[in-house]
């Protein structure tokens, strides 16, 4: 079979047994290049869209067939085609320079010979000067590949140049770095290396002249001066501290003792990676580390511990540059995971002018170096430590030195006696700041919402945020909103990569270090999708006892693949959870087993709200999983189990979402009773959030279903809730009619709880109509009912209503008594749904008693609960009370603001009855502020509403307008 050569770095060239193939069609060439580089099987539909995105599908596929025919005439033996797919045959006899280039730069650290080969292989940018008309998606792919490969080439040339410096092959180094500067003349790091090379080769004047060239280019391109590091290098060269005369290699004697050092001392080495232009945050960690690393009596061995991509190396680099002046004898750096300890020790020795190549074992070389460095003040940085055995020989610093290591393995850091700093993801503010540092304040400010979305989707993992920012930087026309939409896809998030940095690769390093059992457990953790969980849940999923499950959780926590939270709970970073779920695979039944476990948990703890509290996320996610997996009976069981805690704990938003899933399950199972119950409870949840239109529609459907199937109890409850809506809409006659009908049915069913709740609504109706004596008599009848006949469903609001009646009659002490009874009952029943209302009533009582400090305290408690539960009605009423308090204190602007916010909330929930009170108060606030026209306008609006509602304040407000 002939050999197909594809040289795509630089101007593309295709040869078949050294004979150049001329493909006239650009689209045919583009198709071949795309298939060869991606090494994947592609659908014909996808390829047609890639190359002809401006055409409809049929025309695009027709063009694809034409171009494929042209391609097959030349390289048919290298293609695999079916009716629906096309792929490049990876088993065929071919050579692809891109594959060779990447293969030698990924995985292990490339050797000197490999670096020479890949640099020679990189003839220029990927598909240089190759363009395809009317194929923007293909052009975007080419641009992405160009940037990725360009960065790989840049790092390779920098690394090769460093090798040339180590071997004193300065001419080769100069040629290599000049080649890089020809492509990227603005790369300051390359200018620094060229200056150093020229100085080392005796060309001091040329080295200084190179500084001027660098300065001019940086000013022309970016409008910035050279960095402090470049300026320091210039000063060293100018003062003769770097030059050919300093390169003296000592020859060690045939013993293990330290060889004599070069006669002329070398400048202190500084081996840390280049300074970071975009470092943000970590202020607290840095301050503490600075103290530990530089204080004489401090702990001089510190470890940065955290998951892959969390920014350990970034922080270590920042520390190395910032503390450079504190360590006068140098900063030594080593990539502990990828380099042999013997080589690291040898390199460190060379940095001080010693040659330890004759000492061939690690322990003796370490001992020799320890003797050399005993009195020096050095900062050692060991990056990516994975093994104690490999890192112990590298701890060669004396009493004046300090060591900083980065690792994912907490056990290794602990065993070494390190002072441990656990790094977590950035804060939302730091994530936004990092994007702004890279992309510019203006670009981020223009799409601030998209910026926050990007950071949130990436869960503020520094590596992921930085890669995203760098990709956006290289694509100045791409909108941040477009990137945010792409990152909604889990695969897009895990596939984030630029140059040799990639999110998935970072996670894969940890994955490959696990044994088979830990891999199994780690993958199972993906079902929690970054939510907090307790060991018994994992034990159930992994079929382990709790003790064994905890043992594995401890191991994963030590490897920074999990975070331990308070009270024996754990949480995985959401991006790690995405990766774990990917390892689990789609066919695993773990999500369904999770759903079954949490249903059992909910059934066992239905009224134990303390136990339910930390598991709400898992409960809702499990119900959603059951729905997604079409486990319909499981969905209905969840709704039946959680209905009582949803309403008791005022979790109405969750309830509404859950009833949507329940509706689908009931319809699939043709379970009419369940569907009728679903509509009833769903409508009730809508009422609690003042969404009366949706509630009305659901309750009408509920009524139809219950009547059709003879479910009388359901009819009674439905009519009761419809009466509630009518009452809130001031449709008092309709409310009275529905309440009488509902109560009659409850009496027929001998449902005492139903009778009591309808009596409460009748009492509320009487109160709204100004019939206080009737309302009080009904309230007292409810409270006189036996407790076992009323499961407290009406006693709480009844006590509050009595307090309201007391306030109308200015019986403040009695009102306070009723409020405190309601508060005690809320605490006894763990009922949060009524608690905000109780605090509101206490606010009113305290204000009427002129106890404004207590009133403000109760109001704040009410507002916090309202925000937590989404209770807009009670929030509006509480704001109304705050307005009255502000008026009493002379804070008229705050009073007006509170009233206006309250009014807006009541408009949103269509509470016309209470709008009258709020508008009356708004008028009072304006009047107190001397804004009489505005006061009159508010009262006029209040009077119009009061008339339409037959409101008890109608005459009082009319009097204000006279």
């Amino acid at each position: 079979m002939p050999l197909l050569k594809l040289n795509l770095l630089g101007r593309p060239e295709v040869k078949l047994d050294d004979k150049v193939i001329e493909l006239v069609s650009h689209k045919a060439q583009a198709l071949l290049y795309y298939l060869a580089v991606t090494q994947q099987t592609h659908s014909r539909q996808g390829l047609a869209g890639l190359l002809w995105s401006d055409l409809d599908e049929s025309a695009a596929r027709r063009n694809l067939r034409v171009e494929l025919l042209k391609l097959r005439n030349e390289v048919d033996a290298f293609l695999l085609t079916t009716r629906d797919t096309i792929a490049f045959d990876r088993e065929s006899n071919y050579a692809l320079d891109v594959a060779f280039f990447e293969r030698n730069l990924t995985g292990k650290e490339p050797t000197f010979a490999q670096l020479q080969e890949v640099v020679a292989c990189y003839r220029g940018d990927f598909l240089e000067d190759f363009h395809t008309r009317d194929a923007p998606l293909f052009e975007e792919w080419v641009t992405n590949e160009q940037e990725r490969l360009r960065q790989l080439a840049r790092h390779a040339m920098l690394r090769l140049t460093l090798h040339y410096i180590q071997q004193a092959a300065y001419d080769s180094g100069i040629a290599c770095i000049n080649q890089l500067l020809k492509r990227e003349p603005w790369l300051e790091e390359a200018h620094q290396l060229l200056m150093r090379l020229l100085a080392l080769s005796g060309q001091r004047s040329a080295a200084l002249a190179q500084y001027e060239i660098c300065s001019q280019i940086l000013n022309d391109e970016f409008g910035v001066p050279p960095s402090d590091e470049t300026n320091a290098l210039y000063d060293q060269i100018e003062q003769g501290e770097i030059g050919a005369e300093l390169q003296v290699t000592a020859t060690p004697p045939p013993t293990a003792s330290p060889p004599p050092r070069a006669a002329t001392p070398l400048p202190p080495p500084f081996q840390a990676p280049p300074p970071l232009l975009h470092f943000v945050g970590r202020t607290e960690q840095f301050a503490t580390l600075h103290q530990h690393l530089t204080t004489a009596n401090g702990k001089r061995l510190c470890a940065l511990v955290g998951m892959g991509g969390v920014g350990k190396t970034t922080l270590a680099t920042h520390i190395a540059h910032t503390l450079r002046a504190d360590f006068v004898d140098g900063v030594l750096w080593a990539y502990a995971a990828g380099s042999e300890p013997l080589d690291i020790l040898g390199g460190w020795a060379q940095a001080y002018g010693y040659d330890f190549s004759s000492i061939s074992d690690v322990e003796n070389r370490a001992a020799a170096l320890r003797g050399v460095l005993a009195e020096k003040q050095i900062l050692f940085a060991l990056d990516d430590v994975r093994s104690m055995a490999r890192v112990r020989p590298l701890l060669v610093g004396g009493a004046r030195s300090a060591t900083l290591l980065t690792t994912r393995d907490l056990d290794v850091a602990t065993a070494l006696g390190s002072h441990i700093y656990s790094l977590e993801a950035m804060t939302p503010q730091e994530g936004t700041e990092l994007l702004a540092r890279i992309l510019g304040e203006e670009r981020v400010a223009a799409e601030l919402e998209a910026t926050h979305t990007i950071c949130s989707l990436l869960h503020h993992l520094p590596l992921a945020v930085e890669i995203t920012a760098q990709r956006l930087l290289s694509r100045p026309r791409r909108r941040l909103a477009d990137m945010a939409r792409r990152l909604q896809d889990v695969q897009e998030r895990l596939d984030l990569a630029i140059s040799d940095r990639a999110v998935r690769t970072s996670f894969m390093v940890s994955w490959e270090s696990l044994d088979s059992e830990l891999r199994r457990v780690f993958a199972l953790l993906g079902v929690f999708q970054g939510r907090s969980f307790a060991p018994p849940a994992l034990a159930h999923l992994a079929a382990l006892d709790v003790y064994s499950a905890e043992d594995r959780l401890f191991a994963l926590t030590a490897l920074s693949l999990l975070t331990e939270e308070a009270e024996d709970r754990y949480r995985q970073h959401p991006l790690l959870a995405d990766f774990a779920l990917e390892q689990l695979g789609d066919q695993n039944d773990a999500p369904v087993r999770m759903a079954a476990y949490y249903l059992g948990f909910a059934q066992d703890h239905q009224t134990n709200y303390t136990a339910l509290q930390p598991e709400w996320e898992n409960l809702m996610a499990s119900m959603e999983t059951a729905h997604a997996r079409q486990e319909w009976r499981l969905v209905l069981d969840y709704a039946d189990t959680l209905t009582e805690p949803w309403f008791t704990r005022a979790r109405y938003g969750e309830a509404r979402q859950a009833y949507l899933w329940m509706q689908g399950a009931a319809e699939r199972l043709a379970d009419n009773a369940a569907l009728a119950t679903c509509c009833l409870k769903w409508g009730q949840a809508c009422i609690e959030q003042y969404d009366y239109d949706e509630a009305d529609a659901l309750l009408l459907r509920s009524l139809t279903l219950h009547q059709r199937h003879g479910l009388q109890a359901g009819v009674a409850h439905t009519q009761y809730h419809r009466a509630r809506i009518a009452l809130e809409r001031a449709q008092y006659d309709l409310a009275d009619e529905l309440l009488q009908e509902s109560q009659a049915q409850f009496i027929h069913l001998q449902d005492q709880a139903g009778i009591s709740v309808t009596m409460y609504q009748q009492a509320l109706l009487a109160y709204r109509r100004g019939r206080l004596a009737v309302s009080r008599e009904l309230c007292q009848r409810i409270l006189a009912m036996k407790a076992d006949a009323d499961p407290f469903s009406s006693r709480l609001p009844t006590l509050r209503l009595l307090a309201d009646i007391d306030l109308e009659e200015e019986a403040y002490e009695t009102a306070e008594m009723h409020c405190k009874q309601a508060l005690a009952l809320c605490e006894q029943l763990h009922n949060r749904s009524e608690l905000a209302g109780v605090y509101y009533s206490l606010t009113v009582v305290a204000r009427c008693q002129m106890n404004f400090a207590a009133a403000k305290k109760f109001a704040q408690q009410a507002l916090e609960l309202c925000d937590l539960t989404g209770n807009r009605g009670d929030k509006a009423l509480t704001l109304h009370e705050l307005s009255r308090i502000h008026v009493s204190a002379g804070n008229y602007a705050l009073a007006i603001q509170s009233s206006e916010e309250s009014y807006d909330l009541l408009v949103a929930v269509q509470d016309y009855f209470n709008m009258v009170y709020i508008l009356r108060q708004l008028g009072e606030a304006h009047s107190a502020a001397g804004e009489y026209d505005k006061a009159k306008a508010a009262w006029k609006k209040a009077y119009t509403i009061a008339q339409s509602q037959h409101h008890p304040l109608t005459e009082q407000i009319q009097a204000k307008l006279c």
Side-chain angles (χ1 to χ4, degrees):
M1 186 178 185
L3 173 65
L4 179 67
K5 292 182 179 179
L6 297 105
N7 298 319
L8 308 184
L9 294 173
R11 293 186 177 181
E13 181 182 70
V14 181
K15 292 182 178 180
L16 197 60
D17 278 346
D18 294 326
K19 178 185 178 182
V20 176
I21 297 177
E22 296 290 348
L23 291 170
V24 178
S25 167
H26 268 55
K27 290 291 178 76
Q29 292 178 61
L31 179 60
L32 175 61
Y33 302 154
Y34 185 75
L35 293 172
V37 173
T38 59
Q39 297 281 294
Q40 296 176 7
T41 300
H42 297 277
S43 68
R44 291 185 179 235
Q45 180 183 9
L47 291 170
L50 177 76
L51 296 171
W52 293 277
S53 58
D54 58 330
L55 301 180
D56 61 57
E57 184 178 343
S58 60
R61 293 192 66 156
R62 183 167 58 251
N63 285 352
L64 176 65
R65 287 193 294 272
V66 173
E67 298 302 327
L68 180 60
L69 182 60
K70 295 175 185 177
L71 196 57
R72 295 183 66 173
N73 288 336
E74 301 289 347
V75 293
D76 186 47
F78 300 89
L79 301 176
L80 299 173
T81 60
T82 70
R83 179 182 179 87
D84 297 314
T85 64
I86 308 173
F88 188 88
D89 187 356
R90 289 176 289 178
E91 304 299 322
S92 61
N93 187 27
Y94 77 99
L96 174 63
D97 61 347
V98 175
F100 171 83
F101 180 78
E102 290 187 276
R103 187 166 56 248
N104 283 285
L105 288 178
T106 55
K108 294 183 178 179
E109 182 73 16
T111 64
F112 175 55
Q114 285 174 322
L115 286 171
Q116 287 179 308
E117 289 178 337
V118 297
V119 168
C121 170
Y122 193 82
R123 299 178 297 114
D125 283 344
F126 175 65
L127 296 185
E128 194 171 275
D129 295 333
F130 178 80
H131 300 285
T132 306
R133 293 178 57 190
D134 305 323
L137 296 180
F138 176 79
E139 288 289 326
E140 182 180 4
W141 172 75
V142 171
T143 300
N144 293 342
E145 288 296 292
Q146 284 177 340
E147 177 60 24
R148 184 176 66 83
L149 295 169
R150 188 183 298 129
Q151 293 207 35
L152 281 175
R154 178 192 307 149
H155 288 297
M157 296 174 83
L158 291 172
R159 281 187 275 188
L160 180 59
T161 303
L162 291 173
H163 275 285
Y164 283 135
I165 291 175
Q166 291 172 356
Q167 297 179 10
Y170 304 130
D171 290 344
S172 297
I174 291 170
C176 181
I177 207 67
N178 272 325
Q179 184 182 349
L180 176 56
L181 281 169
K182 186 177 180 181
R183 295 196 183 106
E184 301 187 47
W186 54 83
L187 189 62
E188 188 174 5
E189 186 178 357
H191 285 284
Q192 293 171 2
L193 284 173
L194 182 53
M195 289 169 63
R196 190 177 294 277
L197 281 160
L198 290 168
L200 290 171
S201 63
Q203 304 177 64
R204 179 170 170 273
S205 297
L208 297 175
Q210 188 62 37
Y211 171 84
E212 301 300 333
I213 295 171
C214 173
S215 299
Q216 187 63 47
I217 290 173
L218 290 174
N219 184 63
D220 293 345
E221 291 288 336
F222 307 115
V224 298
S227 66
D228 292 342
E229 186 173 337
T230 304
N231 291 330
L233 179 61
Y234 177 89
D235 293 339
Q236 288 178 322
I237 295 171
E238 186 179 44
Q239 295 165 16
E241 295 177 4
I242 297 178
E245 68 279 2
L246 301 180
Q247 300 309 300
V248 181
T249 302
T251 304
T255 69
S257 60
R261 192 177 172 184
T264 306
L266 294 174
F270 185 76
Q271 299 179 342
L276 303 161
L277 301 177
H278 312 302
F279 182 82
V280 300
R282 309 298 192 192
T283 307
E284 183 178 341
Q285 293 97 328
F286 174 77
T288 312
L289 276 163
H290 183 283
Q291 181 181 1
H292 278 292
L293 291 170
T294 57
T295 304
N297 58 356
K299 191 133 184 180
R300 308 301 287 276
L301 175 59
C302 298
L304 299 175
V305 182
M307 63 179 282
V310 81
K312 301 182 296 295
T313 302
T314 298
L315 179 54
T317 301
H318 179 69
I319 289 168
H321 281 273
T322 308
L323 302 188
R324 185 174 185 175
D326 293 285
F327 294 92
V328 296
D329 295 310
V331 175
L332 298 177
W333 187 283
Y335 295 97
S339 304
E340 290 300 322
L342 194 68
D343 296 335
I344 294 171
L345 293 167
W348 285 353
Q350 288 178 3
Y352 291 95
Y354 294 93
D355 184 352
F356 284 172
S357 58
S358 64
I359 306 176
S360 58
D361 66 285
V362 172
E363 293 301 330
N364 281 322
R365 188 175 288 189
L369 185 59
R370 199 173 289 115
V372 168
L373 305 181
E375 298 302 319
K376 294 189 180 299
Q377 193 169 351
I378 302 169
L379 175 62
F380 296 85
L382 305 175
D383 191 27
D384 198 8
V385 171
R386 303 181 191 176
S387 162
M388 270 198 305
R390 288 172 63 87
V391 79
R392 279 196 185 280
L394 303 179
L395 303 178
V396 294
R400 300 178 64 209
S401 295
T403 302
L404 175 66
L405 58 90
T406 73
T407 182
R408 305 180 188 200
D409 196 327
L410 179 64
D411 287 343
V412 169
T414 303
L416 290 170
S418 310
H419 187 91
I420 293 168
Y421 296 82
S422 296
L423 287 193
E424 297 181 357
M426 300 181 293
T427 65
Q429 181 180 350
E430 289 168 348
T432 301
E433 186 180 350
L434 179 56
L435 277 174
R437 288 276 184 92
I438 297 174
L439 299 177
E441 296 282 354
E442 185 176 344
R443 189 173 177 188
V444 166
E447 294 191 77
L448 196 56
E449 184 177 350
T451 297
H452 294 157
T453 301
I454 288 171
C455 292
S456 177
L457 287 168
L458 299 177
H459 302 280
H460 315 289
L461 186 70
L463 174 63
V465 174
E466 184 181 354
I467 289 173
T468 302
Q470 295 290 359
R471 289 178 64 177
L472 285 166
L473 182 65
S474 65
R475 300 160 180 79
R477 294 183 180 178
R478 170 162 287 178
R479 296 174 64 247
L480 273 66
D482 294 334
M483 177 61 80
R485 278 191 291 273
R486 290 188 64 175
L487 291 176
Q488 297 284 348
D489 187 326
V490 171
Q491 292 303 313
E492 288 285 348
R493 298 197 292 270
L494 290 177
D495 285 342
L496 282 172
I498 190 166
S499 184
D500 57 349
R501 308 179 71 200
V503 172
R504 181 180 275 103
T505 302
S506 177
F507 295 165
M508 190 61 74
V509 169
S510 296
W511 169 258
E512 291 175 347
S513 71
L514 304 178
D515 61 32
S516 58
E517 174 60 9
L518 281 181
R519 285 188 180 187
R520 182 179 77 90
V521 172
F522 173 80
L524 285 170
L525 294 179
V527 303
F528 296 107
Q529 295 183 293
R531 299 184 300 275
S532 168
F533 66 92
L538 174 68
H540 177 86
L541 288 178
L544 297 168
D545 60 77
V546 174
Y547 179 83
S548 299
E550 288 178 336
D551 190 45
R552 286 150 179 80
L553 290 171
F554 293 151
L556 291 170
T557 301
L559 292 171
S560 302
L561 292 171
L562 202 59
T563 301
E564 189 172 5
E565 295 189 335
E567 299 182 9
D568 198 24
R569 296 186 69 82
Y570 295 83
R571 187 187 297 273
Q572 197 173 37
H573 189 278
L575 283 184
L576 262 181
D578 290 340
F579 177 78
L581 206 56
E582 185 177 76
Q583 309 313 310
L584 190 63
D586 294 335
Q587 303 306 313
N588 197 287
D589 66 345
V592 175
R593 285 188 284 123
M594 176 191 73
Y597 168 80
Y598 279 109
L599 174 61
F601 181 90
Q603 290 169 336
D604 291 341
H605 301 87
Q606 189 176 22
T607 58
N608 184 349
Y609 306 120
T610 302
L612 289 177
Q613 180 57 38
E615 300 295 358
W616 276 112
E617 269 193 295
N618 289 316
L619 290 167
M620 293 303 296
S622 296
M623 186 176 182
E624 183 177 14
T625 295
H627 180 268
R629 296 295 183 104
Q630 299 185 8
E631 298 286 339
W632 307 124
R633 184 52 58 185
L634 205 57
V635 173
L636 297 185
D637 289 343
Y638 261 106
D640 181 59
T641 303
L642 293 177
T643 285
E644 190 275 335
W646 278 329
F647 283 94
T648 300
R649 303 303 289 168
R651 305 186 77 93
Y652 305 125
E654 291 177 359
R656 291 173 71 173
Q657 175 59 66
Y659 290 130
L660 176 62
W661 296 328
M662 181 186 180
Q663 174 185 251
E667 289 174 345
R668 291 298 187 94
L669 294 173
D671 189 333
N672 293 314
L675 184 58
T677 299
C678 172
C679 292
L680 172 59
K681 292 298 182 181
W682 192 352
Q684 183 182 348
C686 291
I687 292 173
E688 302 301 340
Q689 292 195 315
Y690 300 90
D691 193 343
Y692 298 134
D693 289 340
E694 183 174 347
D696 204 26
L698 287 164
L699 291 174
L700 284 172
R701 188 181 182 195
S702 166
L703 182 63
T704 301
L705 287 166
H706 280 106
Q707 288 176 335
R708 181 182 301 162
H709 300 286
L711 303 171
Q712 291 305 308
V715 172
H717 282 286
T718 300
Q719 296 296 66
Y720 159 72
H721 287 297
R722 289 185 65 216
R724 291 180 61 194
I725 296 173
L727 196 156
E728 294 302 328
R729 287 175 167 171
Q731 297 169 337
Y732 297 144
D733 291 341
L734 175 60
D736 193 15
E737 178 186 335
L738 290 170
L739 285 172
Q740 289 186 39
E741 179 183 341
S742 174
Q743 190 174 78
Q745 290 171 330
F746 282 131
I747 291 171
H748 176 73
L749 294 167
Q750 298 182 349
D751 184 341
Q752 293 300 311
I755 295 169
S756 71
V757 293
T758 52
M759 284 175 64
Y760 165 75
Q761 291 296 328
Q762 288 171 331
L764 181 59
L765 177 58
Y767 174 81
R768 292 283 181 88
R769 285 174 159 170
R771 301 169 184 171
L772 300 185
V774 174
S775 181
R776 183 185 292 278
E777 193 271 334
L778 285 167
C779 287
Q780 290 169 342
R781 283 174 56 192
I782 294 169
L783 295 180
M785 295 176 68
K786 293 182 180 179
D788 58 357
D790 172 26
F792 302 101
S793 54
S794 59
R795 298 178 76 83
L796 272 170
T798 298
L799 287 167
R800 282 188 56 209
L801 182 54
L802 277 171
D804 288 341
I805 296 169
D806 293 332
L807 288 168
E808 290 288 340
E809 296 175 348
E810 300 183 0
Y812 301 136
E813 290 184 2
T814 309
E816 184 178 10
M817 177 194 71
H818 284 133
C819 285
K820 288 182 176 179
Q821 287 176 347
L823 185 62
L825 195 53
C826 277
E827 292 172 353
Q828 177 187 342
L829 300 175
H830 304 284
N831 189 313
R832 195 166 62 183
S833 63
E834 288 286 340
L835 191 55
V838 173
Y839 280 128
Y840 157 71
S841 296
L842 283 167
T843 302
V844 180
V845 171
R847 178 188 58 77
C848 291
Q849 293 175 328
M850 307 297 286
N851 187 349
F852 297 124
K856 286 183 179 179
K857 177 184 174 182
F858 289 133
Q860 188 58 43
Q861 289 173 302
L863 290 175
E864 288 174 1
L865 279 167
C866 289
D867 287 336
L868 189 66
T869 62
N871 188 332
R872 293 177 290 176
D874 281 341
K875 182 175 182 179
L877 296 178
T878 305
L879 287 168
H880 167 248
E881 280 304 307
L882 274 178
S883 176
R884 301 182 75 172
I885 294 168
H886 290 319
V887 166
S888 299
N891 297 323
Y892 304 130
L894 286 176
I896 292 167
Q897 179 182 333
S898 295
S899 284
E900 288 176 340
E901 187 178 348
S902 174
Y903 177 72
D904 290 342
L905 285 169
L906 291 178
V907 169
V909 301
Q910 302 176 39
D911 185 346
Y912 296 101
F913 181 83
N914 284 308
M915 276 184 213
V916 176
Y917 287 100
I918 271 59
L919 287 169
R920 180 186 66 171
Q921 172 57 24
L922 179 59
E924 299 287 354
H926 279 303
S927 178
E931 299 170 348
Y932 302 115
D933 290 341
K934 291 182 179 179
K936 210 160 193 178
W939 289 331
K940 189 173 182 180
K941 188 184 293 185
Y943 180 66
T944 301
I945 297 173
Q947 277 189 310
S948 67
Q949 301 291 308
H950 307 292
H951 201 282
L953 291 185
T954 304
E955 292 182 4
Q956 184 186 124
I957 294 172
Q958 184 181 24
K960 288 180 177 294
L961 292 171
C962 294

